[in-house]
């Protein structure tokens, strides 16, 4: 059976184990960090965005820890905002 790739799929080595992956989109903020966003369709047909984030941390340990805590809080907000339309209802056990 021949698999069909979606139009956005990068094909080649990026597709494996039944999933499809787009070329990543890079968002660079010089001197501060970089985000890579990749669209993925899993083998079960569910689509998601894979996000890899790299940020510069302060050299001072207490400041770096504060940055990480702030980042974790902000990511919670970003994930909630980005997934509003795609959240599936929770299945309750009968």
């Amino acid at each position: 059976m021949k698999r069909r790739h979606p139009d956005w799929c990068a094909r080649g080595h990026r597709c494996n184990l039944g999933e499809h992956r787009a070329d990543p989109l890079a968002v660079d903020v010089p001197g501060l960090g970089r985000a890579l966003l990749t669209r993925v369709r899993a083998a079960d047909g569910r689509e998601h965005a894979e996000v890899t984030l790299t940020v510069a941390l302060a050299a001072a340990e207490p400041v770096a820890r504060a940055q990480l805590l702030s980042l974790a809080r902000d990511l919670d907000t970003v994930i909630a905002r980005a997934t509003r339309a795609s959240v599936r209802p929770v299945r309750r056990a009968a």
Side-chain angles (χ1 to χ4, degrees), residues 77-90:
T77 301
V78 168
I79 291 169
R81 183 178 303 139
T83 59
R84 274 188 206 135
S86 66
V87 175
R88 292 182 175 176
V90 176

Side-chain angles (χ1 to χ4, degrees), residues 31-52:
L32 297 178
R34 177 178 215 203
L36 291 175
L37 299 109
T38 306
R39 183 176 180 174
V40 179
R41 180 180 294 163
D44 67 0
R46 178 81 168 154
E47 292 193 22
H48 62 273
E50 183 176 283
V51 180
T52 303

Side-chain angles (χ1 to χ4, degrees), residues 28-78:
D28 287 303
V29 181
L32 297 178
R34 177 178 215 203
L36 291 175
L37 299 109
T38 306
R39 183 176 180 174
V40 179
R41 180 180 294 163
D44 67 0
R46 178 81 168 154
E47 292 193 22
H48 62 273
E50 183 176 283
V51 180
T52 303
L53 182 64
T54 304
V55 295
L57 294 176
E61 183 60 24
V63 179
R65 284 181 187 224
Q67 284 177 283
L68 290 169
L69 180 59
S70 178
L71 178 61
R73 288 180 179 147
D74 290 344
L75 285 174
D76 183 62
T77 301
V78 168

